[in-house]
Structure formats: C-alpha cells, structure tokens
Amino acid sequence: MNHATPLRRTLTALTTTTLLAGGLLLGQTVTAEPAHAAGKKIVCNVPKMRQQAADLRSKAAQLQRLGATAEARKARGQADALERKAQACIDAEDSAPKPWK
C-alpha cells in the first residue's frame, strides 16, 4: 500500500489543478461582457481613420528613408490595419438592414 500513496497524491493534485484551471477559464468567459451586450453603438469616423492611415504611411516613408526598416514596416502594418477597419465599417454600414426599405 505504500506504493499507491504517492500515485494517489499525484493524481489528486493533477485532478485538482485541472479542475481549478478549467474553473478559472470558465469563470472568465462567463463573466466577460460581450461586445454587443454593452449597449453602446459603435461609431466609425472613416475619414479620420483614413487620415490617420495616410499619416502613418508618410511616417513609414520617412522612416524608410532614414533606414529604420523595422519601424517603417510596423507603421505600414498599423496603416493597413486602419484601412481594413475603415473598410469593415463601410461594409457593415452597407450590409446593415435599412429601416426605410
């Protein structure tokens, strides 16, 4: 029976750890508030987003001229992300059901 005790302790500890970790993950997903339930209307300022993207692109060009390629790549990536977000806002607005139709 001496050989079963360490195995029993190990299995008990492993089971307890797994249950605690699963409970924490489940608790986080249950208590997290979904984006659509927040009650806030998402407003996209497309011209402002496009202007920010253009500013980032000009900053990227300047960084590229100065030889900072990694920073330029990061700025271009941020500009691309802003452009995609602006296009997503436009697409969402176009595909939303219109109350007057």
Side-chain angles (χ1 to χ4, degrees), residues 31-53:
T31 58
E33 185 175 352
H36 61 81
K40 296 178 184 176
K41 186 176 180 180
I42 298 173
V43 179
C44 294
N45 190 348
V46 175
K48 183 179 178 183
M49 293 168 78
R50 290 219 167 124
Q51 181 60 46
Q52 289 174 342

Side-chain angles (χ1 to χ4, degrees), residues 46-62 75-76 78-83 86:
V46 175
K48 183 179 178 183
M49 293 168 78
R50 290 219 167 124
Q51 181 60 46
Q52 289 174 342
D55 292 343
L56 280 170
R57 288 193 195 285
S58 67
K59 178 183 174 183
Q62 182 181 11
R76 274 191 224 100
Q78 290 172 344
D80 289 341
L82 276 171
E83 285 288 335

Side-chain angles (χ1 to χ4, degrees), residues 8-24:
R8 187 177 299 148
R9 286 182 189 158
T10 304
L11 289 177
T12 304
L14 183 64
T15 304
T16 305
T17 304
T18 304
L19 290 175
L20 283 173
L24 288 175

